[in-house]
Amino acid sequence: MSSKAKISLEALILQLFEIEAVKFGSFTLKSGIESPVYFDLRLIVSYPHLMKQVSEHLWLASQDGEMHGSPGHITSISSVCGVPYTALPFATCISTDHNIPMLIRRKEAKDYGTKKMVEGNFKEGELCLVIEDVVTSGSSVLETVQTLSSVGVHVTDAVVLLDREQGGKKRLKEAGINLHSVCTMSKLLEILETAAKISHHVAQSVKTFIAANIFSSEPCNVRISLSDKKVLSYLERAQSSSHSLTKRLFQIMADKKTNLALSADVTTSKEVFEVLFPKVLC
């Protein structure tokens, strides 16, 4: 183990449990499904030492075996890219600790400036390692891979802190992406149960939930074609809006070429002036 990763996987998982980045109970997921386990890894940014430990474990896991088509993978990686947004701090730590350039993938393009979806300096054909916090279906990783691919950056491997073992690894494999993981759900449950942090009943309920919620191994269903995603201008949004107020707001933004706006509960222009320039009226 690298000198930078001073704690074991067991110690790392226990620390994540202590700060409640791993929670057990009843939680409604984004999909609407009730889950007995929840991962709130955004909390890690408030614990710098732990954040660096997680990042180093991610880096070490990425070196577990050769990257696709590249036996000397450590030197062949040209950049790293964290899946927005939770994985960005981990990618930053890896970038600075190992002197590897970092790329940032935007979730949506800006409608001003360069309008780039990928920020950073890169060359077409370079190899990028994608970094993620948790993989469930693998869709977030695939979206990041497709965005990078659209600008000529290749991805063959991704590394994740926790693989929930719900089909994501298989889906990514079928899409040509090799997933490395620091820890699996099974291992996490084993560590916490052994340390008496959770009961056998809780561990079994999570295993039952995972087994009943495996995602289909059809990666094409989660792939998003960037060519089909058009970023609408304010004028186009105004024209497509059905609500009169929304239509008017987008029209103003298009006319003024700005998305800066002030909202005030007033009915006359004089009252607006009083809100904006109170000292002028004194």
Side-chain angles (χ1 to χ4, degrees), residues 56-126:
E56 188 61 17
H57 274 277
L58 282 164
W59 173 247
L60 292 174
S62 74
Q63 301 175 63
D64 181 19
E66 298 177 355
M67 291 183 69
H68 289 188
S70 180
H73 65 277
I74 296 178
T75 57
S76 67
I77 297 174
S78 299
S79 56
V80 294
C81 180
V83 175
Y85 291 105
T86 308
L88 290 179
F90 306 144
T92 302
C93 288
I94 290 173
S95 174
T96 56
D97 287 347
H98 297 279
N99 195 33
I100 302 173
M102 175 179 164
L103 303 179
I104 297 177
R105 171 220 159 193
R106 290 185 172 277
K107 279 198 170 183
E108 51 189 36
K110 299 183 296 182
D111 57 0
Y112 58 91
T114 60
K115 302 181 181 180
K116 291 180 178 179
M117 284 296 292
V118 178
E119 301 289 354
N121 188 19
F122 55 86
K123 296 179 180 179
E124 186 172 349
E126 74 174 51

Side-chain angles (χ1 to χ4, degrees), residues 47-209:
Y47 302 86
H49 177 70
L50 183 57
M51 182 167 63
K52 289 182 71 68
Q53 292 289 345
V54 167
S55 301
E56 188 61 17
H57 274 277
L58 282 164
W59 173 247
L60 292 174
S62 74
Q63 301 175 63
D64 181 19
E66 298 177 355
M67 291 183 69
H68 289 188
S70 180
H73 65 277
I74 296 178
T75 57
S76 67
I77 297 174
S78 299
S79 56
V80 294
C81 180
V83 175
Y85 291 105
T86 308
L88 290 179
F90 306 144
T92 302
C93 288
I94 290 173
S95 174
T96 56
D97 287 347
H98 297 279
N99 195 33
I100 302 173
M102 175 179 164
L103 303 179
I104 297 177
R105 171 220 159 193
R106 290 185 172 277
K107 279 198 170 183
E108 51 189 36
K110 299 183 296 182
D111 57 0
Y112 58 91
T114 60
K115 302 181 181 180
K116 291 180 178 179
M117 284 296 292
V118 178
E119 301 289 354
N121 188 19
F122 55 86
K123 296 179 180 179
E124 186 172 349
E126 74 174 51
L127 188 63
C128 180
L129 173 67
V130 170
I131 299 165
E132 176 65 302
D133 59 332
V134 178
V135 162
T136 304
S137 69
S139 60
S140 294
V141 172
L142 282 174
E143 289 172 12
T144 297
V145 170
Q146 289 186 324
T147 301
L148 292 169
S149 297
S150 71
V151 295
V153 175
H154 296 323
V155 178
T156 59
D157 292 70
V159 61
V160 64
L161 174 59
L162 178 72
D163 176 7
R164 288 181 60 114
E165 299 179 296
Q166 289 181 254
K169 183 172 184 177
K170 184 177 180 181
R171 298 178 93 188
L172 290 170
K173 186 73 172 180
E174 292 179 351
I177 306 299
N178 188 38
L179 182 67
H180 308 261
S181 61
V182 172
C183 188
T184 61
M185 178 70 84
S186 299
K187 185 63 177 179
L188 178 138
L189 294 173
E190 177 188 323
I191 291 171
L192 293 178
E193 186 177 357
T194 300
K197 297 299 182 180
I198 59 173
S199 66
H200 179 69
H201 173 73
V202 168
Q204 286 302 122
S205 69
V206 173
K207 290 178 182 178
T208 300
F209 169 79

Side-chain angles (χ1 to χ4, degrees), residues 33-47:
I33 297 175
E34 291 293 321
S35 171
V37 61
Y38 182 72
F39 299 95
D40 188 8
L41 299 180
R42 293 177 180 84
L43 286 172
I44 298 176
V45 298
S46 295
Y47 302 86

